[in-house]
Amino acid sequence: MPTFATRDPNNPAFWDERFEQGFIPWDRGGVPDGLRAFVATHSAMRTLIPGCGTAYELAFLLEAGWDATAIDFSPAAVAAAKAGLGKWGNKVALADFFAWQPGQPLQLIYERAFLCAMPRAVWPKVAARWAELLPPGGLLAGYFFFDDTPKGPPFGTSREALDALLQPNFECVEDAEVSDSIPVFVGKERWQVWRRR
Ligand SMILES: C[S@@+](CC[C@H](N)C(=O)[O-])C[C@H]1O[C@@H](n2cnc3c(N)ncnc32)[C@H](O)[C@@H]1O
């Protein structure tokens, strides 16, 4: 494993270093089945992918005819995404999730390895921002990581803690096992859809 100077995942430099050294064990290298199934069963939704990393899902959504934007606050992540996205590269922006503003109201926020990338102390701020960005009826859909190891990232949660975090503003409308996890998440992630109250 390479050595890194930055230890704080709230700092974009933490992620820059890892992308620059090619140490990205969370990277799936493609689009997970849960998102494919979701897109196959829903009408197009205006979507945000926060903390997108290499953003394979962005090209998938755009090719399906969905209106989607991906953001990441790490310049190295955005460069990696743009390099892989070709003609869709202009739909990725360098932006901090907590400051970014949508041009039009969102209908969907896609979650994968973003909440678990941040220390648990930041999660109330993430949940509040999700709630702020989605109008009533809007969906938060994707992968949630369940684990109790104190060290991270990835930082996992429990059913109870995730409910306590999200239930004030969201109702869980889908919760399913995941069968195509990559090694870091295997047996510990679930596909969930939460509807903004
Ligand atoms: C573990 S990676 C996951 C990347 C991608 N979602 C995936 O599934 O491969 C977490 C990403 O979130 C980004 N990130 C963390 N905090 C952020 C913030 N406040 N605003 C935007 N991006 C952020 C990091 O730069 C990093 O690329």
Side-chain angles (χ1 to χ4, degrees), residues 15 19 26 51-53 72-74 77 95-98 112-114 117:
W15 301 100
F19 276 98
W26 60 83
C52 61
D72 203 294
F73 74 170
S74 149
D96 187 327
F97 172 65
F98 299 108
R112 182 179 184 275
F114 178 59

Side-chain angles (χ1 to χ4, degrees), residues 88-167:
W88 302 121
N90 65 339
K91 301 292 275 181
V92 185
L94 178 66
D96 187 327
F97 172 65
F98 299 108
W100 180 84
Q101 295 293 340
Q104 286 183 282
L106 297 173
Q107 295 166 303
L108 172 69
I109 295 178
Y110 172 68
E111 164 59 28
R112 182 179 184 275
F114 178 59
L115 183 66
C116 72
M118 275 171 281
R120 295 177 180 96
V122 184
W123 290 6
K125 208 175 135 194
V126 178
R129 187 75 185 126
W130 279 334
E132 207 171 67
L133 285 168
L134 285 169
L139 299 180
L140 167 68
Y143 295 89
F144 292 83
F145 177 59
F146 295 91
D147 194 26
D148 56 8
T149 314
K151 267 189 77 180
F155 297 99
T157 187
S158 64
R159 289 294 185 108
E160 298 70 28
L162 190 62
D163 283 354
L165 184 74
L166 293 181
Q167 276 183 350

Side-chain angles (χ1 to χ4, degrees), residues 3-27:
T3 50
F4 300 108
T6 324
R7 298 272 162 214
D8 176 11
N10 295 310
N11 182 345
F14 175 98
W15 301 100
D16 279 339
E17 276 198 299
R18 283 149 181 88
F19 276 98
E20 280 158 5
Q21 297 200 40
F23 180 79
I24 50 172
W26 60 83
D27 191 289

Side-chain angles (χ1 to χ4, degrees), residues 31-114:
V31 179
D33 290 346
L35 181 63
R36 289 185 188 279
F38 183 88
V39 167
T41 51
H42 289 75
S43 307
M45 302 172 84
R46 190 171 307 109
T47 304
L48 174 68
I49 308 179
C52 61
T54 31
Y56 307 97
E57 296 95 333
L58 178 64
F60 170 71
L61 292 174
L62 294 168
E63 271 155 26
W66 289 36
D67 177 0
T69 303
I71 58 170
D72 203 294
F73 74 170
S74 149
V78 171
K82 283 186 187 292
L85 283 165
K87 66 174 175 172
W88 302 121
N90 65 339
K91 301 292 275 181
V92 185
L94 178 66
D96 187 327
F97 172 65
F98 299 108
W100 180 84
Q101 295 293 340
Q104 286 183 282
L106 297 173
Q107 295 166 303
L108 172 69
I109 295 178
Y110 172 68
E111 164 59 28
R112 182 179 184 275
F114 178 59

